[in-house]
């Protein structure tokens, strides 16, 4: 575990990456973020529609979160030390979690089928830890649901499992920037990452505090995916 103080995808067109993450977006003019709608699919009585595009197998590169300064200050005020777990790395103030798998289906937004983006983006074997005294909490094995704008993960306390694939972070895309390409990599940045009410409650209970607020801003996410 490394301690810090501050705080491929294979598809024919890079444009589908935007569609695949459309669930992580919201109106830029909205001052109070609101999560996307439920992931429960609404479809006609007939068979489910055929997706306009499908990515059956995701792999590489990573999801990075540039940590917000206020989040780092909040950790310090709580006496918490953060660190990386597994294959996660810290580079220039950003936590990087390698993409290890998943899939995405994209349906016609003009139709009634919802959410029109469905699937998952997996980050097995990486995460980060929060330590205070002899208590160590690890948040690992993140899974992004692009249809609900939610990030799930496993939680352990002092090596013992406390929760499996619980909702940890809500994702909002009001500041999402246009897609960029660097070589064969498609890059989307600007989605903000916020602590969920479930995670806030768990952390407050574990560390005997009430200072971890629901929807506290953690940082800004950048998803980098190889297009070949």
């Amino acid at each position: 575990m490394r301690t810090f103080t501050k705080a491929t995808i294979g598809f024919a067109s890079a444009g589908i990456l935007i569609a695949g993450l459309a669930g992580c977006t919201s109106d830029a003019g909205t001052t109070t973020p609101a999560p996307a709608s439920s992931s429960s699919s609404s479809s006609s009585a007939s068979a489910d529609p055929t997706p306009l595009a499908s990515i059956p197998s995701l792999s590489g590169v990573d999801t990075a979160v540039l940590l917000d300064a206020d989040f780092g200050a909040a950790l310090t005020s709580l006496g918490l030390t953060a660190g990386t777990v597994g294959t996660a790395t810290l580079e220039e103030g950003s936590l990087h979690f390698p993409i290890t798998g998943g899939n995405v289906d994209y349906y016609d937004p003009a139709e009634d089928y919802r959410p029109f983006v469905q699937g998952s983006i997996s980050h097995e074997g990486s995460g980060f830890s929060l330590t205070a005294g002899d208590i160590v909490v690890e948040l690992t094995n993140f899974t992004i649901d692009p249809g609900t704008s939610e990030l799930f993960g496993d939680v352990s306390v002092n090596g013992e499992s406390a929760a499996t694939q619980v909702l940890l972070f809500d994702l909002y895309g009001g500041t999402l920037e246009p897609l960029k390409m660097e070589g064969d990599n498609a890059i989307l940045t600007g989605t903000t990452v916020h602590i969920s009410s479930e995670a806030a409650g768990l952390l407050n209970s574990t560390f005997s505090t009430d200072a971890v607020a629901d929807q506290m801003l953690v940082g800004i996410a950048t998803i980098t995916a190889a297009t070949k």
Side-chain angles (χ1 to χ4, degrees):
M1 184 176 71
R2 295 171 291 278
T3 299
F4 61 88
T5 55
K6 185 181 177 184
T8 320
I9 294 180
F11 50 87
S13 170
I16 189 58
L17 181 61
I18 298 178
L21 296 170
C24 297
T25 66
S26 62
D27 276 337
T30 301
T31 56
T32 301
S37 59
S38 168
S39 62
S40 298
S41 300
S42 61
S43 58
S44 63
S46 60
D48 291 347
T50 300
L52 293 179
S54 183
I55 309 169
S57 181
L58 302 175
S59 61
V61 178
D62 67 20
T63 297
V65 179
L66 177 62
L67 299 172
D68 184 74
D70 288 341
F71 177 69
L75 293 184
T76 300
S77 68
L78 293 172
L80 299 178
T81 301
T84 57
V85 176
T87 56
T89 59
L90 175 70
E91 302 173 20
E92 299 181 349
S94 292
L95 284 170
H96 292 255
F97 309 105
I99 295 173
T100 59
N103 62 87
V104 172
D105 289 327
Y106 173 61
Y107 297 88
D108 187 350
E111 301 296 333
D112 292 332
Y113 197 71
R114 291 294 183 272
F116 61 86
V117 181
Q118 299 184 29
S120 65
I121 303 173
S122 302
H123 307 77
E124 293 290 329
S126 65
F128 70 95
S129 64
L130 297 172
T131 302
D134 58 358
I135 300 176
V136 180
V137 174
E138 292 187 349
L139 311 177
T140 58
N141 302 323
F142 300 141
T143 303
I144 295 175
D145 184 334
T148 63
S149 302
E150 295 171 329
L151 186 153
F152 300 84
D154 298 337
V155 182
S156 67
V157 180
N158 292 338
E160 299 291 331
S161 176
T164 301
Q165 290 302 294
V166 65
L167 175 59
L168 295 176
F169 304 104
D170 293 311
L171 310 175
Y172 305 104
T175 57
L176 189 68
E177 298 177 8
L179 178 74
K180 294 185 294 186
M181 294 296 298
E182 291 186 2
D184 292 331
N185 290 339
I187 301 171
L188 274 176
T189 189
T191 297
T192 57
V193 181
H194 301 256
I195 293 178
S196 71
S197 59
E198 292 91 336
L202 189 151
L203 293 173
N204 282 330
S205 175
T206 301
F207 292 112
S208 300
T209 182
D210 59 3
V212 181
D214 177 19
Q215 301 307 311
M216 176 186 290
L217 175 64
V218 175
I220 298 175
T222 297
I223 297 178
T224 302
T227 61
K228 293 183 180 180

